[in-house]
Amino acid sequence: MVSRRVILAAIVALLVIVGGLALTAGPMTLSVLDGLVGGGRGTARVRSGVPFGTHGQTLDVWRPSGGAREGLPVVIFWYGGGWVHGDRAAYAFAARAYAKAGFVVVLPDYRKVPSVRFPAFVQDGAEAVRWTRDHVRQFGGDPGRLGLVGHSAGAYTVAMLTLDQRWLRAEGVDLAIVRAAVGLCGPYDFYPFTAKRAIDAMQGAADPHMTQPIRFARADAPPMLLITAGDDTQVQPHNANNLTARLRALGAPVRHIDYPGLSHENVAMALSKPFRGKAPVLADSVAFLDANLKAR
């Protein structure tokens, strides 16, 4: 009789060969595939659906299932979806990836267009940082070793919270709490708005220039890693190229990595175990975070 494990392995192998299923069916399918091939081994979701903020937002908390019980570095991960789609449950694969690498991971939801416009999703991000500062110790995390990571629209939130000091200050959070930031295929310099999602998301901003992360580049910014995909047709590479150049000109610590041949979605997929061979997105981002989140 063929064992259940062999059957599962055959199914997973077929899905991985097909590959495009994870892309067309969305990140939830990717999380299922990741779980089937052991992406969650060595990790635990220790809280699910935790309320935070002032608008009914919720978050999950993941951590390594073994090893040190306290003092662990912390990552807050924001998913993408054009400010319109996405939910934390579908991005378990990303949380598990960073938890397996030794981080306590906070995975928050945020409000979406058309129910809200700028700056609501950035404000939700700031509230997630405040919650993490106040509560992450109970899960073994050290709020003094905090890094921000995001993909696409989530990378926009990362850049705004890292560079534009208005949002954390409004939540009473010390600006120095962010010690490192990683943006995966994020929009940082996209005004004038041409894409419908950007037009919708930024609609009504009194000064559209103030929606642009590059506007807030500063010499004392924490270290940033900006990752791009060579075949990204959704978020043009000039976003990261321009922000990298601006930060370097100011003397701020920044690194830019481009993965030729990858699409916008491929960069997120590469965080999952089935598709990690596409590019060392996880390894590169973890190395960057480890280097900058060392215990003081």
Side-chain angles (χ1 to χ4, degrees):
M1 180 178 292
V2 179
S3 71
R4 180 173 178 271
R5 179 175 295 180
V6 171
I7 293 173
L8 284 175
I11 293 172
V12 171
L14 178 60
L15 291 176
V16 170
I17 290 171
V18 173
L21 177 62
L23 180 59
T24 57
M28 182 59 82
T29 299
L30 190 57
S31 281
V32 172
L33 285 173
D34 182 75
L36 286 173
V37 299
R41 192 173 296 120
T43 71
R45 183 172 58 186
V46 291
R47 288 292 188 277
S48 177
V50 179
F52 77 96
T54 54
H55 296 90
Q57 311 99 304
T58 52
L59 56 79
D60 293 347
V61 182
W62 294 75
R63 58 156 290 140
S65 55
R69 306 307 299 173
E70 60 183 22
L72 294 172
V74 180
V75 159
I76 307 177
F77 182 91
W78 284 277
Y79 54 80
W83 299 289
V84 178
H85 303 295
D87 67 86
R88 68 184 195 283
Y91 285 82
F93 70 92
R96 290 191 293 243
Y98 287 107
K100 179 70 172 177
F103 300 89
V104 175
V105 182
V106 176
L107 182 59
D109 276 322
Y110 53 92
R111 290 171 290 166
K112 313 291 195 306
V113 174
S115 297
V116 299
R117 311 288 177 178
F118 175 89
F121 31 83
V122 181
Q123 292 168 330
D124 289 356
E127 290 187 330
V129 175
R130 184 182 65 185
W131 184 94
T132 301
R133 179 200 65 184
D134 294 343
H135 299 283
V136 79
R137 287 191 189 279
Q138 65 186 277
F139 307 107
D142 179 357
R145 304 175 65 193
L146 176 65
L148 310 183
V149 182
H151 175 252
S152 194
Y156 172 83
T157 293
V158 167
M160 288 297 280
L161 295 178
T162 300
L163 299 174
D164 183 353
Q165 301 180 9
R166 292 177 291 172
W167 312 111
L168 293 182
R169 186 178 287 124
E171 295 301 321
V173 176
D174 186 341
L175 302 176
I177 194 171
V178 179
R179 292 184 54 191
V182 179
L184 310 175
C185 296
Y188 316 116
D189 182 17
F190 56 101
Y191 182 76
F193 310 128
T194 56
K196 184 180 186 303
R197 287 187 174 181
I199 294 169
D200 291 345
M202 306 301 159
Q203 180 179 318
D207 180 355
H209 293 94
M210 298 295 280
T211 67
Q212 301 299 285
I214 195 168
R215 166 68 174 72
F216 303 97
R218 50 193 173 86
D220 61 346
M224 298 189 73
L225 171 62
L226 305 179
I227 286 175
T228 53
D231 290 346
D232 191 344
T233 58
Q234 296 184 45
V235 177
Q236 298 300 320
H238 77 262
N239 284 274
N241 294 338
N242 293 355
L243 181 55
T244 298
R246 181 73 60 85
L247 288 167
R248 283 179 178 163
L250 293 169
V254 61
R255 184 183 179 199
H256 176 214
I257 300 176
D258 181 72
Y259 299 115
L262 263 62
S263 70
H264 186 77
E265 295 84 359
N266 288 161
V267 168
M269 290 174 68
L271 295 174
S272 70
K273 190 169 183 179
F275 298 98
R276 215 160 279 167
K278 284 183 171 293
V281 177
L282 181 63
D284 286 343
S285 58
V286 166
F288 177 82
L289 292 165
D290 283 343
N292 290 287
L293 300 183
K294 295 177 181 177
R296 295 186 189 277

